């Protein structure tokens, strides 16, 4: 178990319902004031199928830029940004810009993407996702390390690409994956590894088992599905039952003992009231 305290973040709304900017900002501000360490946004464009109506969230990058300018203390980042959605040089530039706006509070979460419907809808190649990630990740991390990058790969090419103005620091990297190839490509270079709650059954023992398969010298972050009140915004998944807010303190203590350095709460429902109530339940230290 880490000797440091367990850090607690929260995921902001995605497609639970239509959330307009004023409410998104209000939830982020409430999270910051309530003492959370970080706020996160998913990177998706469109969900289809599964017996539910079409739905999609706001663009993750422009929303994060607005939140970076509207907050002062919380770390923030995408959970996680698909490297397939933008050229890797553009991802690096957006990350460096948001880190500048936030005064060094940005964490760049990256992954391959998985939702084939949105790839097809927006004309993004779905094949060879991992091979594309391997190339894109190399370019992104080298640019953020302030290198001048010439790269010739199967999917991406750069010719003396460089980030200008130069970033003030090397933006920390997080990868969300359980795939061995993605981990092999990224683990020597990342500061954080994240797992979604359904990957480990939303239990401390499940997290310990999954984490034991992931080798690397980085901080370990676990998403945790939490029911605040009656819940009801997320479909029930019997393989990953939610944790009741009233039982969350003990659950997080057990996750910390299992090796988690940080948790990212996925609250059901996700609104200002839930954010504040769960913070109070966990006795987070409010900010003035």
């Amino acid at each position: 178990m880490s000797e440091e305290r367990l850090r607690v973040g929260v995921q902001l709304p995605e497609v639970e319902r239509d959330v307009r900017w004023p409410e998104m900002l209000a939830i982020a501000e409430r999270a910051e004031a309530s003492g959370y360490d970080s706020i996160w946004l998913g990177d998706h464009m469109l969900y289809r199928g599964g017996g539910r109506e079409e739905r999609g969230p706001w663009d993750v990058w422009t929303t994060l830029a607005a939140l970076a300018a509207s907050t002062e203390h919380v770390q923030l980042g995408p959970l996680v940004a698909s490297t397939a959605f933008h050229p890797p040089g553009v991802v690096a530039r957006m990350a460096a810009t948001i880190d500048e706006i936030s005064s060094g509070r940005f964490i760049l979460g990256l992954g391959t993407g998985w939702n084939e419907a949105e790839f097809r809808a927006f004309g993004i190649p779905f094949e060879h996702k991992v091979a594309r990630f391997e190339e894109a990740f190399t370019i992104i991390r080298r640019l953020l390390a302030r290198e001048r990058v010439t790269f010739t790969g199967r999917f991406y090419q750069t010719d003396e690409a460089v980030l200008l103005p130069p970033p003030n620091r090397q933006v920390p990297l997080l990868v969300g994956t359980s795939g061995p190839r993605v981990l092999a490509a990224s683990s020597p270079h990342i500061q954080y590894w994240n797992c979604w709650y359904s990957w480990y059954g939303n239990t401390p023992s499940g997290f310990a088992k999954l984490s034991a398969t992931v080798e690397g010298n980085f901080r370990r972050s676990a998403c945790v599905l939490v029911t605040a009140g009656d819940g009801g915004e997320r479909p029930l998944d019997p393989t990953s039952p939610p944790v009741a807010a009233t039982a969350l303190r003990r659950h997080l203590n057990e996750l910390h003992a299992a090796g988690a350095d940080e948790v990212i709460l996925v609250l059901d429902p996700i609104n200002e009231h839930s954010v504040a109530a769960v913070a109070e339940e966990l006795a987070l230290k409010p900010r003035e």
Side-chain angles (χ1 to χ4, degrees), residues 152-163:
T152 303
R154 180 181 175 188
F155 305 104
Y156 300 109
Q157 297 81 37
T158 63
D159 183 7
E160 293 197 33
V162 62
L163 297 185

Side-chain angles (χ1 to χ4, degrees), residues 14 28 54 95 124 133 140 145 159 178 216 245 251 262 269:
E14 188 181 68
E54 288 185 327
I124 299 167
F133 174 90
I140 291 166
D159 183 7
S178 59
H251 185 89
E262 181 172 18

Side-chain angles (χ1 to χ4, degrees), residues 18-275:
D18 283 344
V19 175
R20 299 287 162 168
W21 169 246
E23 184 184 4
M24 185 75 75
L25 176 59
I27 296 172
E29 291 177 334
R30 178 72 68 177
E32 180 165 71
S34 298
Y36 290 89
D37 295 296
S38 57
I39 56 177
W40 302 85
L41 284 173
D43 182 20
H44 287 284
M45 295 182 285
L46 182 67
Y47 287 91
R48 277 182 178 150
R52 300 181 66 189
E53 64 181 12
E54 288 185 327
R55 59 209 187 279
W58 297 108
D59 173 69
V60 68
W61 291 100
T62 46
T63 305
L64 282 168
L67 291 170
S70 304
T71 55
E72 297 181 1
H73 303 288
V74 287
Q75 291 184 307
L76 70 167
L79 193 69
V80 287
S82 171
T83 56
F85 291 170
H86 303 280
V90 174
V91 172
R93 282 180 54 82
M94 292 189 293
T97 301
I98 297 175
D99 194 60
E100 174 76 12
I101 294 168
S102 70
S103 299
R105 293 181 287 120
F106 186 70
I107 298 172
L108 176 55
L110 295 172
T112 63
W114 58 269
N115 181 10
E116 185 173 358
E118 64 190 341
F119 279 73
R120 300 302 184 202
F122 285 89
I124 299 167
F126 188 71
E127 293 75 19
H128 310 294
K129 291 192 291 90
V130 175
R132 292 174 188 275
F133 174 90
E134 291 168 335
E135 292 187 11
F137 182 82
T138 298
I139 295 169
I140 291 166
R141 68 167 180 82
R142 290 181 60 193
L143 284 171
L144 290 173
R146 306 183 187 89
E147 294 183 31
R148 185 177 294 270
V149 181
T150 296
F151 181 92
T152 303
R154 180 181 175 188
F155 305 104
Y156 300 109
Q157 297 81 37
T158 63
D159 183 7
E160 293 197 33
V162 62
L163 297 185
L164 296 174
N168 276 325
R169 63 165 192 156
Q170 188 164 341
V171 175
L173 300 175
L174 174 151
V175 167
T177 187
S178 59
R181 278 183 62 187
V182 172
L183 282 167
S186 60
S187 60
H189 311 286
I190 60 177
Q191 287 71 49
Y192 304 88
W193 165 72
N194 173 262
C195 56
W196 189 245
Y197 64 83
S198 62
W199 300 355
Y200 68 93
N202 209 41
T203 66
S205 60
F207 173 80
K209 184 177 180 180
L210 177 61
S211 182
T213 68
V214 178
E215 297 182 0
N217 184 25
F218 37 72
R219 296 177 65 83
R220 291 163 190 258
S221 164
C223 293
V224 180
L225 178 62
V226 181
T227 299
D230 295 331
E233 284 191 333
R234 285 180 169 268
L236 290 177
D237 179 357
T239 67
S240 304
V243 180
T246 52
L248 187 58
R249 291 183 70 176
R250 178 178 177 180
H251 185 89
L252 297 191
N253 287 339
E254 292 175 355
L255 272 175
H256 197 194
D261 299 294
E262 181 172 18
V263 294
I264 299 173
L265 305 183
V266 182
L267 301 181
D268 181 12
I270 173 62
N271 53 41
E272 280 191 80
H273 176 76
S274 296
V275 166

